Amino acid sequence: MKHYPVIIIGGGASGLFLSSLLKDSLLLEKNHECGKKLLVTGGGACNITHNEAPRDLVCHYYEKKNFVSTALYSLSPEAIQNYFLSLNVETYIREDGKVFPNTNDAHTVRDALLNGGKILTDYTVNSVRKDKDIFVVNEQYSSNNLVIATGGTVFPQTGSTGDGYRFLKEFGHTIVPPRNALCEIKLNEDTSFLEGISVDNATLKIGKNTSTGPLLFTRKGLSGPVALNLSRFIDGETELVLKLCDITAEEIKSQNGKLKCSNALHQLTGVPQRLIEGVIPARDKNVASLTKEDIRVIIERLTAWHLKGNTHGQSKLAMVTCGGVSTKEVDSKSMESKLCPGLFIVGECLDVDGETGGYNLSFAFASSYLVYKKLKTDLS
Ligand SMILES: Cc1cc2nc3c(=O)[nH]c(=O)nc-3n(C[C@H](O)[C@H](O)[C@H](O)COP(=O)(O)OP(=O)(O)OC[C@H]3O[C@@H](n4cnc5c(N)ncnc54)[C@H](O)[C@@H]3O)c2cc1C
């Protein structure tokens, strides 16, 4: 049996990042090439991180702000950029804060991470066990330290099929049931006639959770950052409240009475006229002939449109998994399992998901960096 100080299972963003730092490691990847998911990130351009100070960055991980803090303070967005620069990958910051390689090609990022430890592709790990202090993988390789970097369950066409959960359950870990996140929200109501319309500053509310920003109507529902970021809160058929703008009855009544009301509402709110015409009643009336009831319904539709949505059938399209290995059982300072010394869990396999904008790759890299820091000390 061949022995390594560290074995990493999974050659995605997190596994590759760690392998690039830890030369004395073996990485096992089931696909023919590493980083298949990394290659599709950011529309193929790879949004590697977000240009924010760590104190702001941590706010994009929902209820996991505390858990991700040590990792994201240890490897800040600036440090991520510097690390890639040390690998000859220059990056640039887009106006919205997203960071990309200058090439706008994810291959540049993936390829830069390949020159570290030993990598074996076309190698599926089926079994993992611990014999005293030694981990045994597929009864073929052994190691003192084992890193599970197998990702989550969404976008399984790139290799992330939840295998890590199976291994970790055997070590006693709890798996928070995985759900689709960062995906389109399908609406029960037919809004296909609104396809392609976007709103710059919509507010979506799901339960107690709210997100404000750009929203896009798709053929079957809602997309754009606002919908993507809240999709993790969808549980079966879920109630949503959509606010397209702020508007009062007085403001509507103060408009030129001769104007077609959809025209007046567009001028008043900036909401695209086609969207207004699609959602309000009395769209052909002029402002002067709107009844009290017309105005009430218009305000309700534009400021608190009640809808129902779901994320069924989105697993092949979702960008991240919400759920995974319970973070209560993992040391946030090193990503080491609290149940099994020498076992580490990184990236999307953990019950951590971030918003859209480079936050998931940031965590994949930063969680691996903590493992590197711990093992570098232990191994030296
Ligand atoms: C379409 C899309 C676009 C995205 N865009 C962005 C973006 O621009 N910015 C951003 O921050 N995030 C983005 N994400 C999210 C981001 O890609 C993931 O969160 C990140 O890749 C997770 O990295 P990971 O290493 O934890 O898992 P993965 O990248 O999923 O890697 C896991 C690896 O483990 C391997 N594996 C699994 N089981 C086994 C086994 N039994 N044996 C051997 N190997 C195994 C898999 O083949 C896979 O290569 C996007 C996701 C998608 C789907």
Side-chain angles (χ1 to χ4, degrees):
M1 199 175 300
K2 185 117 173 69
H3 188 83
Y4 287 85
V6 184
I7 289 181
I8 303 162
I9 307 179
S14 55
L16 278 179
F17 195 83
L18 182 58
S19 161
S20 76
L21 289 161
L22 276 179
K23 312 289 178 210
D24 212 4
S25 60
L26 171 68
L27 182 150
L28 303 168
E29 165 57 47
K30 67 155 83 149
N31 288 325
H32 187 57
E33 62 173 339
C34 285
K36 274 184 96 174
K37 187 171 279 181
L38 193 56
L39 294 181
V40 299
T41 56
C46 195
N47 172 201
I48 55 168
T49 186
H50 205 101
N51 180 39
E52 265 177 337
R55 68 170 178 280
D56 299 319
L57 195 75
V58 297
C59 299
H60 298 274
Y61 296 83
Y62 309 98
E63 68 285 351
K64 291 298 159 66
K65 183 177 168 178
N66 289 340
F67 182 80
V68 301
S69 278
T70 307
L72 297 170
Y73 273 86
S74 300
L75 189 77
S76 65
E78 198 184 348
I80 291 176
Q81 284 176 268
N82 286 337
Y83 181 61
F84 277 105
L85 192 58
S86 76
L87 301 176
N88 295 321
V89 178
E90 290 183 50
T91 54
Y92 73 97
I93 302 166
R94 225 169 63 170
E95 228 172 54
D96 57 5
K98 293 181 180 179
V99 180
F100 294 88
N102 278 3
T103 55
N104 279 320
D105 183 354
H107 286 85
T108 319
V109 173
R110 193 274 309 266
D111 294 352
L113 297 174
L114 294 175
N115 297 318
K118 185 175 165 56
I119 294 177
L120 209 56
T121 53
D122 289 315
Y123 189 96
T124 302
V125 173
N126 296 308
S127 72
V128 170
R129 66 181 173 86
K130 196 175 185 190
D131 188 3
K132 298 197 179 85
D133 284 344
I134 300 295
F135 293 94
V136 179
V137 176
N138 280 2
E139 302 301 326
Q140 198 179 359
Y141 295 105
S142 62
S143 67
N144 309 79
N145 300 285
L146 182 67
V147 183
I148 308 291
T150 46
T153 49
V154 302
F155 227 78
Q157 57 275 40
T158 58
S160 350
T161 47
D163 299 12
Y165 302 161
R166 181 162 52 84
F167 308 143
L168 290 160
K169 268 190 203 162
E170 284 168 23
F171 288 107
H173 277 283
T174 310
I175 309 300
V176 176
R179 291 205 308 268
N180 302 330
L182 294 189
C183 62
E184 179 185 357
I185 299 174
K186 288 206 243 159
L187 296 175
N188 290 10
E189 166 168 343
D190 179 15
T191 53
S192 55
F193 53 94
L194 300 176
E195 183 178 3
I197 300 179
S198 60
V199 183
D200 290 341
N201 211 25
T203 299
L204 188 64
K205 196 164 178 267
I206 301 181
K208 291 186 199 136
N209 307 288
T210 313
S211 178
T212 299
L215 179 89
L216 172 73
F217 284 87
T218 59
R219 193 163 63 82
K220 293 199 172 151
L222 303 174
S223 188
V226 157
L228 296 176
N229 288 338
L230 286 191
S231 56
R232 73 193 293 277
F233 297 110
I234 298 273
D235 191 8
E237 296 298 338
T238 305
E239 301 247 353
L240 331 166
V241 184
L242 179 57
K243 179 168 144 185
L244 297 167
C245 61
D246 275 315
I247 192 167
T248 62
E250 287 64 40
E251 284 170 327
I252 298 176
K253 285 185 215 153
S254 71
Q255 295 303 295
N256 180 344
K258 288 185 193 148
L259 272 181
K260 189 175 157 186
C261 78
S262 60
N263 208 339
L265 290 167
H266 165 62
Q267 283 178 16
L268 195 59
T269 64
V271 174
Q273 189 160 345
R274 190 156 74 87
L275 176 54
I276 291 175
E277 286 174 355
V279 302
I280 64 160
R283 58 193 65 89
D284 295 326
K285 287 188 180 177
N286 61 26
V287 173
S289 47
L290 289 174
T291 64
K292 223 174 166 186
E293 178 61 8
D294 289 336
I295 292 177
R296 187 191 68 75
V297 181
I298 286 171
I299 292 175
E300 190 184 277
R301 269 302 175 100
L302 295 180
T303 63
W305 184 7
H306 287 256
L307 294 154
K308 266 196 166 180
N310 65 70
T311 56
H312 300 329
Q314 295 287 302
S315 66
K316 286 193 172 164
L317 300 166
M319 286 190 265
V320 77
T321 310
C322 171
V325 179
S326 169
T327 51
K328 291 185 191 137
E329 299 162 353
V330 176
D331 179 359
S332 63
K333 296 194 169 48
S334 62
M335 299 295 144
E336 188 169 14
S337 160
K338 289 181 184 168
L339 312 182
C340 176
L343 178 66
F344 296 83
I345 307 144
V346 292
E348 204 177 309
C349 189
L350 286 161
D351 179 20
V352 171
D353 57 299
E355 293 178 3
T356 174
Y359 301 103
N360 289 295
L361 287 179
S362 296
F363 181 70
F365 299 147
S367 55
S368 286
Y369 182 68
L370 288 187
V371 178
Y372 162 70
K373 270 182 46 178
K374 165 95 167 99
L375 291 182
K376 191 179 65 160
T377 319
D378 287 3
L379 298 176
S380 59

